Amino acid sequence: MQVDIELYRHEVRVSSNPMVRLSAIDISPDRPRRTIVFVHGYGGNAAQWIHQLQKFSDDNRTIALDWRGHGFADKPNSAYTMAEIQSDLSASLDVLGVTGKVVLVGHSFGGAIVAEFAATHPERVEKLILVATTGDYRLAWNFRLALSLPLTVLRLAEPLTRQWLSAPASVLKPLHANAISQWNGWSLFRNLQVPTLVIRGHRDRVFSRAHFEEVPRAIPGAEDVDVGASGHMVMLERREAVNRAVERFLEGARSWRAEIAASQDGSDAARRSLFKERPWLVHYDKQVPRTVGVPRVSLHRLLRSTARRFPLRPAIIFEGGWLSYRRLNHESSRFANALRALGVAKGSRVLLLLPNLPQTVIAYYGVFKAGGVVVLTTPLSDSAELVRQIRHSQAEVLVTLTKFAGMARQARQQTELKHIVFTSLKDYLPWLEQLIFTLTREAKEGHRLPFALEPGMHVWTKFLPSHSPRSPEVNVEPEDLAVIQYTGGTTAAPKGVMLSHRNLVANTLQTRHWIPELREGREVILSVLPFSHAYGMTAAMNVPIALGAAMLILPAFDTDRVLRAARRYRPTLFPGVPSMYVAINNYPGVRRFGIDSIKACISGAAPLPVEVQEAFEKLTRGRLVEGYGLTEASPVTHANPLLGLRKIGTIGIPLPSTEAKIVDLASGKDAAPGQIGELAVRGPQVMMGYWGDGDATDRTLTRDGWLWTGDVARMDDEGYFQLIARKADMWFPEREYPAGHPAFPRDVEEILFEVPQVREAAVIAIANQPIAFVIAQKDRPTAGALIAYCKRRLPPELVPRLIIFVDDFPRSFIGKVLRRELAKKYERELENRD
């Protein structure tokens, strides 16, 4: 799993008197195959196992320890004896909750530590792997001489040794005297009873070559692997060779296809159970992990991690300017400190009424750093809906554009809102573009504040600069509430979905790993999906942050602007909705914009027509696949594989660590493949519940974590899911059709689409009778003609009672038809007809 391993680092308290805290990197996927514990050598650290942790964490729980005095662990005034180290290792396994046998892997003197543990506790060790290990550790004369010097002298040299030693002289000196120089393991090796693999580097000159060669001969039945062209740090210098040797040695650790076979032939009960429950796993692309170990961190740790690894990499590209990850991290910290100065405390709600801008990303992560909760709403909200959401969420701060100043002030007068922060489209433009904007657009388009600032009102450009760029010290737990995201309201009034930090971190990594070809620090993401929508928040903002990708931000989708930006910045990933891909496909002369840099797209929010998919893939030479999600699941749960079997007309298969099933609409029991029922999903991305609505939460979430999506679907034998309709949109005809079965809008809409003059159709049911709304060509047929056609093609129960022609449908800001608004329109029309 290619992700920053530091996100998985935890404190391990092994002693209370005196206080001693070690540091462990602990990555655990669902149902791990085994537990592998990595122990570094003298002067080493846990991160030296980075390549092995990334390689083996897809299927195994992998733990790497910083033992006392090294890396991030405490450095107490201690004897540093082998007995003490053994006690620390045993205590660490207990604190981390490791049960059953483990695979122990040790490098250099770490090999001595794990060999000692295996000899003392053979019942706890499944296998032993010794890397660059010998039976005694006789340092060269120059190292022995250096260690004999007084600590005051050795400390002077620490600035020079810090690059290759992860422990200070105050640790290394007693450790060598009391443990390393005293240890002799030749007799211990001869009595080892666990299967052992010895890996050594052919050019290792740290200790005597004869001693390295003697180790596999001394251990009964040991396997010996001599990795050529490698020195002492063999697991770093020849990581692929070491990984292959370890993989061969671990029984059952085969290629992904061999693992599938093992899961089916009974040689691995845990894998067999997993594949039986999740038949779609066999269709995962080769490098996609079956499950994802979710780090126990808050979401803003992803930004901090990326800023540490890629400080100068562009994080945001906007209107010709850009912000580095270092600056983005600092700006979000300034915003967090500014919020704290306003009185924002842990759990306080901050509502963002913003289009896609650098300020949106800064504010989003800044609220988290302050310990607050982000409330997201669409910039298209009207005054009444904004007031309702401020009241409902009890937001204390509103962050919005100067263009929305009038609506914001009105909302403050009608609510308990304490502060408003105004920002402008020009705040992060390059200086020349700022000047042009000020002279040509600011007044004309209404971007200037139309009134003087009142108490509790703040301007972004004066609000941030006076505050520290250091993140405030606020303890934010993974289970804490992070976002209240209002649903699109396609079938009912918008509800506030509560998403925790863990929900969002999980879905970010699940989505990121679905496209294994993405390279950290090297991608450009076209971020035009609204950040205020759950899909845009995850796919166009959080995933790029986790990747260290550059976000090419556009405030709104305009085909010409999108294509010009794509030609200039060459995006490689484009999450979008079908209407965006349609617009690009139909744009005159689209090929001259060179959009073939796009290598992957996941389409959501609406069905993706096959014609649109094929045309877009021809233009880009990338892969466009349909996916599925809902706000209540952060939001992505399903997608078609990028490289493997894609089934047109389906939403694909569940993402890693996601379960899905179909539940019979009548009985509530699990449905068989091919049967229609309600789609239910479960996984770490599933919401905490609805804000302030326990009854709706109880109707939607089961006690064992299943989320009832409200979508009617079916699953085929291979685990691919096909959506039928929203459950709220189905109806039961007055005359049974057939006996006891519901009807769906799609049953009627597909027939209406057969009429060439019908561009779009949406069907709703009132009093169990279908009503059709139609957008037609100029030469539209009459309502009577359409009803007559339906009578020829449909059972009487499904023939629309009325055909109502409209110019357009009421839609959400990402293009979904708002059927509840159509219902209101029908009620008014019915009243007029009556």
Side-chain angles (χ1 to χ4, degrees):
M1 182 167 62
Q2 299 300 311
V3 69
D4 182 14
I5 62 172
E6 293 298 327
L7 294 171
Y8 297 85
R9 188 179 287 279
H10 310 291
E11 179 185 282
V12 180
R13 186 178 299 180
V14 296
S15 173
S16 297
N17 188 21
M19 176 66 70
V20 178
R21 293 160 299 191
L22 306 186
S23 182
I25 298 169
D26 182 3
I27 309 175
S28 183
D30 300 344
R31 303 186 199 177
R33 185 177 177 81
R34 57 170 55 82
T35 298
I36 308 175
V37 180
F38 298 90
V39 178
H40 63 75
Y42 183 54
N45 64 78
Q48 290 174 341
W49 297 104
I50 178 173
H51 304 297
Q52 289 68 47
L53 290 168
Q54 291 181 336
K55 167 67 177 178
F56 295 103
S57 60
D58 285 352
D59 295 304
N60 306 283
R61 183 180 183 185
T62 52
I63 300 170
L65 293 166
D66 276 334
W67 30 286
R68 70 170 66 192
H70 291 66
F72 290 94
D74 284 347
K75 299 165 179 62
N77 184 14
S78 172
Y80 294 99
T81 62
M82 176 61 86
E84 186 179 71
I85 296 170
Q86 291 295 307
S87 175
D88 286 351
L89 177 54
S90 182
S92 297
L93 296 179
D94 292 340
V95 172
L96 291 170
V98 176
T99 58
K101 291 189 174 185
V102 300
V103 175
L104 287 178
V105 186
H107 172 254
S108 192
F109 190 66
I113 295 171
V114 298
E116 189 87 24
F117 190 88
T120 308
H121 306 284
E123 75 285 353
R124 299 194 67 179
V125 181
E126 176 190 350
K127 290 181 182 294
L128 187 65
I129 301 174
L130 308 179
V131 183
T133 297
T134 181
D136 58 85
Y137 294 84
R138 301 174 190 172
L139 294 178
W141 67 269
N142 52 331
F143 290 112
R144 293 200 304 271
L145 176 62
L147 287 170
S148 68
L149 296 173
L151 278 176
T152 53
V153 176
L154 292 174
R155 287 193 180 104
L156 295 175
E158 283 182 359
L160 301 176
T161 62
R162 198 170 290 151
Q163 295 293 324
W164 52 281
L165 288 176
S166 299
S170 59
V171 171
L172 296 175
K173 188 177 176 73
L175 177 60
H176 177 260
N178 300 329
I180 293 179
S181 64
Q182 303 293 321
W183 193 78
N184 188 303
W186 296 114
S187 60
L188 181 146
F189 285 164
R190 295 184 180 93
N191 293 313
L192 282 175
Q193 301 297 314
V194 299
T196 303
L197 170 67
V198 177
I199 301 175
R200 51 197 174 89
H202 191 69
R203 297 181 181 176
D204 193 337
R205 299 291 186 266
V206 173
F207 301 106
S208 167
R209 180 172 176 178
H211 282 193
F212 287 126
E213 294 174 346
E214 181 60 28
V215 173
R217 292 196 290 264
I219 301 173
E223 296 184 27
D224 181 25
V225 175
D226 183 353
V227 178
S230 175
H232 193 60
M233 302 301 295
V234 59
M235 71 280 200
L236 292 171
E237 298 172 37
R238 294 294 311 279
R239 58 182 182 270
E240 296 297 337
V242 169
N243 289 347
R244 286 194 298 270
V246 172
E247 190 172 33
R248 287 193 298 265
F249 178 65
L250 297 180
E251 183 180 355
R254 312 164 181 77
S255 68
W256 68 286
R257 293 187 185 277
E259 287 236 12
I260 293 170
S263 71
Q264 295 171 338
D265 68 15
S267 60
D268 187 331
R271 297 291 96 180
R272 185 175 68 252
S273 173
L274 186 63
F275 275 79
K276 182 178 180 181
E277 294 173 15
R278 307 177 191 181
W280 50 82
L281 293 179
V282 298
H283 298 292
Y284 273 20
D285 288 336
K286 183 176 180 180
Q287 295 179 327
V288 175
R290 289 181 283 275
T291 66
V292 171
V294 182
R296 297 193 292 273
V297 297
S298 50
L299 185 66
H300 52 278
R301 279 282 301 278
L302 299 183
L303 173 57
R304 191 173 79 182
S305 165
T306 301
R308 173 178 53 81
R309 292 179 294 146
F310 306 108
L312 303 181
R313 167 74 177 167
I316 292 173
I317 301 170
F318 180 70
E319 298 292 343
W322 63 280
L323 277 70
S324 69
Y325 269 102
R326 176 181 290 163
R327 185 179 175 196
L328 174 59
N329 190 43
H330 286 171
E331 291 286 277
S332 64
S333 294
R334 290 185 192 277
F335 188 79
N337 287 313
L339 289 178
R340 299 288 290 181
L342 294 182
V344 170
K346 185 173 180 180
S348 298
R349 271 77 65 199
V350 179
L351 192 147
L352 307 185
L353 181 67
L354 295 168
N356 286 14
L357 297 169
Q359 299 94 303
T360 313
V361 185
I362 291 166
Y364 179 84
Y365 281 94
V367 172
F368 297 150
K369 290 182 176 183
V373 176
V374 171
V375 183
L376 288 174
T377 189
T378 168
L380 301 181
S381 295
D382 57 25
S383 296
E385 181 60 22
L386 178 62
V387 168
R388 187 190 80 83
Q389 292 184 12
I390 292 173
R391 287 175 176 168
H392 184 254
S393 65
Q394 299 173 310
E396 298 178 11
V397 180
L398 170 64
V399 185
T400 191
L401 289 176
T402 50
K403 189 172 184 178
F404 302 149
M407 184 169 64
R409 183 167 67 169
Q410 180 183 351
R412 189 183 180 208
Q413 293 169 349
Q414 299 177 31
T415 66
E416 299 298 317
L417 198 65
K418 297 178 181 177
H419 298 277
I420 302 175
V421 180
F422 291 112
T423 187
S424 170
L425 288 174
K426 71 177 184 180
D427 287 348
Y428 285 88
L429 292 177
W431 72 268
L432 181 58
E433 281 75 7
Q434 269 197 18
L435 179 62
I436 294 172
F437 183 92
T438 301
L439 295 176
T440 62
R441 295 178 56 189
E442 190 170 52
K444 181 180 179 181
E445 297 178 6
H447 293 285
R448 287 180 182 168
L449 276 174
F451 49 79
L453 289 178
E454 301 168 4
M457 292 183 178
H458 315 271
V459 175
W460 183 282
T461 52
K462 297 179 181 178
F463 186 59
L464 264 66
S466 61
H467 292 277
S468 170
R470 294 180 62 86
S471 181
E473 295 294 328
V474 182
N475 183 31
V476 181
E477 298 293 334
E479 288 73 26
D480 288 342
L481 177 62
V483 166
I484 299 175
Q485 171 79 63
Y486 283 92
T487 59
T490 55
T491 57
K495 295 190 286 289
V497 174
M498 296 190 295
L499 301 174
S500 70
H501 284 271
R502 184 174 188 270
N503 293 151
L504 297 173
V505 170
N507 205 228
T508 297
L509 296 184
Q510 289 169 317
T511 307
R512 178 259 180 274
H513 287 299
W514 196 248
I515 312 175
E517 293 183 349
L518 296 178
R519 304 157 300 171
E520 292 195 336
R522 300 176 66 184
E523 306 295 341
V524 178
I525 313 297
L526 183 53
S527 296
V528 66
L529 274 175
F531 294 152
S532 54
H533 185 270
Y535 183 28
M537 173 186 66
T538 292
M541 180 166 59
N542 291 338
V543 169
I545 292 286
L547 266 173
M551 288 178 278
L552 177 55
I553 290 180
L554 289 93
F557 183 84
D558 176 88
T559 311
D560 185 69
R561 290 187 66 193
V562 166
L563 289 173
R564 292 181 185 280
R567 178 168 59 187
R568 181 175 179 182
Y569 295 106
R570 307 289 290 167
T572 55
L573 181 65
F574 176 20
V577 295
S579 60
M580 294 178 180
Y581 304 124
V582 169
I584 290 174
N585 288 347
N586 295 332
Y587 192 84
V590 64
R591 291 186 183 276
R592 74 178 188 272
F593 291 95
I595 59 174
D596 56 349
S597 62
I598 298 172
K599 60 186 179 184
C601 306
I602 297 180
S603 175
L608 177 67
V610 62
E611 294 83 3
V612 175
Q613 182 183 42
E614 290 177 350
F616 192 82
E617 288 188 343
K618 276 189 176 182
L619 289 172
T620 64
R621 301 177 187 173
R623 303 286 281 181
L624 170 60
V625 297
E626 184 172 356
Y628 166 83
L630 65 167
T631 306
E632 289 85 346
S634 304
V636 188
T637 65
H638 292 66
N640 272 276
L642 263 293
L643 303 175
L645 176 62
R646 296 186 295 175
K647 292 193 176 182
I648 305 303
T650 76
I651 57 173
I653 53 183
L655 266 58
S657 294
T658 304
E659 299 174 79
K661 63 181 180 179
I662 303 297
V663 180
D664 186 84
L665 294 170
S667 68
K669 296 180 180 180
D670 292 358
Q675 184 177 340
I676 290 176
E678 183 171 356
L679 172 63
V681 297
R682 181 167 67 178
Q685 72 270 51
V686 169
M687 69 172 181
M688 304 168 69
Y690 293 112
W691 176 262
D693 197 340
D695 291 339
T697 299
D698 292 340
R699 290 193 300 269
T700 307
L701 275 179
T702 67
R703 291 185 178 179
D704 56 352
W706 285 99
L707 170 67
W708 302 89
T709 66
D711 283 313
V712 180
R714 64 162 62 91
M715 182 187 80
D716 67 19
D717 291 333
E718 295 183 293
Y720 283 73
F721 289 76
Q722 179 188 20
L723 286 186
I724 306 298
R726 288 290 295 169
K727 187 178 178 181
D729 296 333
M730 72 180 189
W731 73 94
F732 289 87
E734 293 177 356
R735 285 180 287 176
E736 294 184 352
Y737 150 76
H741 283 69
F744 303 99
R746 186 172 178 176
D747 298 331
V748 183
E749 290 167 358
E750 287 188 353
I751 300 304
L752 289 169
F753 275 122
E754 292 177 0
V755 179
Q757 294 90 346
V758 173
R759 288 171 47 203
E760 291 187 70
V763 173
I764 62 172
I766 303 294
N768 285 328
Q769 296 191 39
I771 310 297
F773 295 83
V774 172
I775 301 173
Q777 309 284 3
K778 290 182 179 180
D779 56 339
R780 74 184 189 188
T782 64
L786 287 179
I787 290 176
Y789 183 78
C790 289
K791 285 180 177 179
R792 294 196 298 270
R793 299 281 286 110
L794 290 167
E797 296 81 5
L798 298 190
V799 174
R801 177 187 171 189
L802 289 175
I803 300 286
I804 300 174
F805 291 98
V806 296
D807 294 328
D808 198 3
F809 297 137
R811 304 176 191 268
S812 71
F813 68 103
I814 61 166
K816 282 188 176 181
V817 176
L818 298 174
R819 294 179 187 269
R820 63 188 174 89
E821 297 298 328
L822 282 174
K824 292 178 183 178
K825 180 180 177 68
Y826 167 73
E827 289 171 355
R828 289 194 296 270
E829 180 131 349
L830 181 61
E831 289 173 1
N832 294 336
R833 294 191 181 205
D834 290 343

